């Protein structure tokens, strides 16, 4: 089955700096890659996703890049703010099966 | 509010108690999921339901018993739990066949004493 690895497990950046979280996947058939943000006391919420037919997608301060050859994808957050502090999860799924395999999460801390 | 509602938000139960967690979605999704989230562990998929039928049971102990009476409601019945079952239990839903992401509820924080 699919295996998703996520790094780093913790990340601390200063406000205004950029943050990058990386994931690798094992199943070359995977074609959908969402990212979730989980704030304290809440469930994970979808913040951005990308499909295998594009290499990059951007939404304001967040962007996701996908390298199908290397089987890795990354989340980029620019101009970080304290409210970006949370746990971020990457995930991957294959075709229309919709079953997601999640990474282990990255705890992002944005310091003032 | 994400469209997936879980109750209760917090639950403390003894090892001999029987309780149930409830999940309801108003998104028109046809697949629902139970996940367990423990501290410093990845999200663990427990059960998957598609169109009310259970399609996956990830080797979950029988003290956890799911029920899906319709595509909008999902329950997790709990009995004779162990302290290591204390965790955040997350419900999610999706539209099976569209290859989209999940919508999660806020979870039930369960403590077994």
């Amino acid at each position: 089955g699919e295996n998703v690895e996520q790094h780093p497990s913790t990340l601390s950046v200063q406000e205004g700096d950029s943050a990058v979280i990386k994931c690798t996947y094992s199943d070359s058939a995977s074609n959908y890659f969402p990212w979730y943000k989980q704030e304290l006391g809440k469930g994970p919420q979808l913040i951005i996703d990308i499909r295998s037919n594009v290499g990059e997608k951007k939404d304001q301060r967040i962007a996701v890049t996908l390298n199908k050859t290397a089987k890795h994808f990354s989340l980029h957050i620019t101009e970080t703010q304290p409210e970006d502090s949370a746990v971020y999860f990457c995930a991957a799924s294959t075709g229309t099966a919709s079953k997601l395999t999640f990474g282990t999460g990255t705890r992002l801390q944005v310091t003032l | 509010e994400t469209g997936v509602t879980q109750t209760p938000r917090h639950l403390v139960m003894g090892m001999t108690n029987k309780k149930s967690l409830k999940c309801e979605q108003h998104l028109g999704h046809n697949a629902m999921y139970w996940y367990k989230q423990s501290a410093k562990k990845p999200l663990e998929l427990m059960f998957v339901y598609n169109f009310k039928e259970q399609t996956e049971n990830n080797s979950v102990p029988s003290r956890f018993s799911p029920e899906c009476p319709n595509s909008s409601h999902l329950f997790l019945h709990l009995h004779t739990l162990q302290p290591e079952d204390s965790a955040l239990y997350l419900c999610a839903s999706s539209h099976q066949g569209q290859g989209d992401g999940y919508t999660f509820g806020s979870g039930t924080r369960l403590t077994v004493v």
Side-chain angles (χ1 to χ4, degrees):
Chain A
E2 175 69 279
N3 182 48
V4 177
E5 294 190 358
Q6 183 172 347
H7 300 281
S9 57
T10 59
L11 179 60
S12 182
V13 300
Q14 283 198 320
E15 183 180 7
D17 288 350
S18 295
V20 180
I21 303 170
K22 299 181 179 181
C23 289
T24 60
Y25 60 98
S26 61
D27 190 345
S28 57
S30 290
N31 59 4
Y32 177 66
F33 308 91
W35 285 88
Y36 289 83
K37 175 184 181 182
Q38 186 175 21
E39 297 175 316
L40 199 61
K42 298 183 179 181
Q45 292 203 4
L46 180 69
I47 56 171
I48 195 167
D49 56 14
I50 191 168
R51 298 186 188 275
S52 58
N53 58 346
V54 299
E56 183 174 359
K57 184 176 178 180
K58 191 173 181 180
D59 182 4
Q60 298 183 350
R61 295 187 298 107
I62 60 173
V64 57
T65 58
L66 171 65
N67 183 326
K68 287 189 295 182
T69 303
K71 289 191 284 188
H72 67 69
F73 56 111
S74 300
L75 177 71
H76 304 254
I77 306 174
T78 59
E79 300 172 28
T80 53
Q81 300 168 5
E83 52 264 38
D84 294 329
S85 296
V87 179
Y88 291 82
F89 293 95
C90 64
S93 73
T94 305
T96 58
S98 295
K99 178 185 167 185
L100 291 174
T101 300
F102 286 89
T104 50
T106 296
R107 183 173 299 279
L108 174 64
Q109 182 71 43
V110 180
T111 58
L112 297 173
Chain B
E1 187 60 56
T2 65
V4 177
T5 304
Q6 289 188 244
T7 54
R9 291 295 308 273
H10 301 274
L11 178 62
V12 179
M13 60 185 289
M15 289 189 285
T16 58
N17 290 160
K18 289 184 180 181
K19 297 286 184 182
S20 295
L21 310 185
K22 180 182 176 182
C23 177
E24 186 174 357
Q25 59 96 1
H26 304 282
L27 301 169
H29 289 165
N30 52 26
M32 297 187 78
Y33 313 80
W34 278 117
Y35 278 85
K36 177 183 179 182
Q37 187 175 36
S38 305
K40 300 183 179 179
K41 283 188 176 181
L43 286 162
E44 298 175 54
L45 179 64
M46 300 175 72
F47 301 103
V48 180
Y49 277 83
N50 290 322
F51 294 100
K52 304 187 301 178
E53 299 298 321
Q54 187 181 123
T55 56
E56 187 156 345
N57 176 337
N58 237 20
S59 302
V60 180
S62 59
R63 56 186 184 270
F64 294 92
S65 175
E67 178 190 0
C68 189
N70 55 60
S71 294
S72 299
H73 294 84
L74 185 65
F75 296 89
L76 188 62
H77 304 298
L78 316 170
H79 64 98
T80 59
L81 294 192
Q82 304 298 312
E84 59 264 30
D85 296 323
S86 299
L88 180 68
Y89 288 85
L90 291 162
C91 172
S93 69
S94 72
H95 203 292
Q96 189 77 349
Q98 287 191 351
D100 291 330
Y102 299 170
T103 301
F104 282 90
S106 296
T108 294
R109 172 68 62 186
L110 173 67
T111 303
V112 181
V113 297

